Amino acid sequence: MATEVVMPKLGLTMETGTIGAWLVATGAAVVKGQPLLEIITDKVTMEVEAQADGHLLKTFYAEGEEVAVSQLIGLIGTPDEDISAYGEGEADPKPITSAEHSETTLGPNPTMVSNKTGPEPAVSSGERPYRASPKARKIAAERGIDLRTLTGSGAGGRVVSADLEGVGAASVADTRSNEGGQPSVAQLDTGGLLGDFIALNPAERVAAERLTESYRQTPHIHLTMDVSAVWLEQFRQGYRLEGKSISYNDLIVSATARALGDFPRINSHYSPGGYVPQKEINIGVAVAADRGLVVPVLRQVDQKTVEEVAEASVRLVDQARRGALSLDDMQGGTFTISNLGMLGVSRFTAIINPPQVAILAVGAIERRVVALDGDAVAVRPFLTLTLAADHRVVDGALGARFLGRLRDILQTPGLLG
């Protein structure tokens, strides 16, 4: 009997995953424990191992397709095995129920096996039948799009979220075109001036959807404060003389953890109608990797020395850029720091990573002219910090006090050390 491979549930909040890549060709032999495919979630890319020996007889979704948790994605069995019961096209299994799921365990390298399938709900008589991913159904409901009018690009004609990109905007553009008597942008003859369309890779698409949702649903408030970097430079130079590699970001992460300890409301998660202060201070550090933006998490930063923070940070950043982060490396963040100072950016605003209620954007350390007592002026190193906070939980006064506390820590050697 064929072993059914289904989309694993890699986290408590995971509802869908994206097929990043099939690592085994259809028909090829596989060994239990061998990497079978890559799954991309909104947090991490992970390899899923084969659950049994055999051959990869069939795959039901192509690379880049979004699939609901517990949906059938492939079959492993013997080459002469009869799998006609699964049909020639895309299978459409019923998701595992909570009771069924509770009997399925996940190991260190998750692969789930289900033995229950079933068709999608039938449409009423006279309606054009369609298939759509859960994400596509959600987007369609929000935009008022009739999925029956679309032709899906997924396996078996399934409508996926990518098929809905620009649908609402295009409809608006066409309406304005008809009202004004002018052609829409999509209808204009550009004479070949526009380049070819380049699709986002699956990880970038997931990040784009998540950030768009955050910006739409979270009322952001932005607060900016300039901070003297005199002691940051002094401390980093001191560590260098001791032969230790400590970055400015390591010092800022450590100082932020200390400030968060004084402001537990900012180290919390939003929950409808309130917030939940977190018991640990786990700071996510935004990293630009080849596959897109990832945010590995430094755990219990308030209990670590600067040297320990630096060691953990080097490991996580290296793994992020190699695509080797584990799910544990990406979960449990309570606050996020995004630093573009090394790229020469003076100041910027960042988007909150829900359910967190704040994110800190760090600019470059720059030499600036500052006024001293009397009429004297001097040139001093400064950097700009910009806090983006969820206004439902953090008001302007609280955010300002937090930034002020962080500034005091960064400017006071006794607190920074």
Side-chain angles (χ1 to χ4, degrees), residues 125-329:
S125 177
E127 292 184 354
R128 178 176 176 263
Y130 67 88
R131 293 175 174 176
S133 71
K135 187 80 169 183
R137 293 176 186 273
K138 178 181 178 182
I139 295 174
E142 292 174 348
R143 299 183 185 176
I145 299 171
D146 186 353
L147 290 173
R148 292 168 297 180
T149 65
L150 302 179
T151 300
S153 62
R158 188 185 189 91
V159 178
V160 295
S161 59
D163 297 323
L164 300 176
E165 292 181 4
V167 171
S171 299
V172 173
D174 291 341
T175 301
R176 290 176 180 171
S177 167
N178 294 333
E179 291 175 352
Q182 298 295 326
S184 67
V185 174
Q187 297 170 332
L188 290 175
D189 181 4
T190 62
L193 296 178
L194 296 181
D196 295 333
F197 171 77
I198 300 176
L200 299 175
N201 65 44
E204 290 173 330
R205 190 163 64 245
V206 169
E209 292 174 353
R210 182 174 176 83
L211 292 174
T212 299
E213 182 178 3
S214 172
Y215 207 70
R216 284 176 176 170
Q217 298 183 359
T218 305
H220 286 57
I221 179 174
H222 298 100
L223 305 169
T224 299
M225 188 171 288
D226 293 331
V227 177
S228 171
V230 170
W231 286 109
L232 276 173
E233 291 189 339
Q234 293 289 336
F235 269 80
R236 191 186 187 205
Q237 181 60 23
Y239 281 115
R240 280 183 173 178
L241 293 176
E242 295 177 3
K244 300 175 181 178
S245 179
I246 305 295
S247 70
Y248 290 126
N249 201 60
D250 297 330
L251 292 166
I252 292 170
V253 168
S254 296
T256 301
R258 179 168 295 189
L260 287 171
D262 296 332
F263 291 85
R265 186 162 180 158
I266 295 179
N267 189 63
S268 66
H269 284 176
Y270 174 76
S271 184
Y275 64 96
V276 181
Q278 301 299 291
K279 296 180 180 179
E280 296 181 350
I281 296 178
N282 302 329
I283 298 181
V285 180
V287 178
D290 290 341
R291 295 188 177 185
L293 180 69
V294 294
V295 186
V297 176
L298 294 163
R299 299 188 177 280
Q300 298 180 318
V301 182
D302 56 320
Q303 300 181 25
K304 287 181 167 61
T305 64
V306 174
E307 292 92 334
E308 290 171 336
V309 168
E311 182 180 354
S313 179
V314 168
R315 177 185 67 83
L316 289 174
V317 170
D318 177 66
Q319 290 181 334
R321 290 173 176 164
R322 291 189 291 108
L325 288 169
S326 69
L327 189 62
D328 287 341
D329 291 329

Side-chain angles (χ1 to χ4, degrees), residues 12 32 49 62 64 67 69 82 92 111 114 124 171 218 245 280 288 301 333 360 366 374 404:
L12 293 176
K32 183 177 180 179
E49 296 179 353
V67 186
V69 165
D82 181 12
D92 226 348
T111 298
S114 163
S124 61
S171 299
T218 305
S245 179
E280 296 181 350
V301 182
L360 183 70
E366 302 172 323

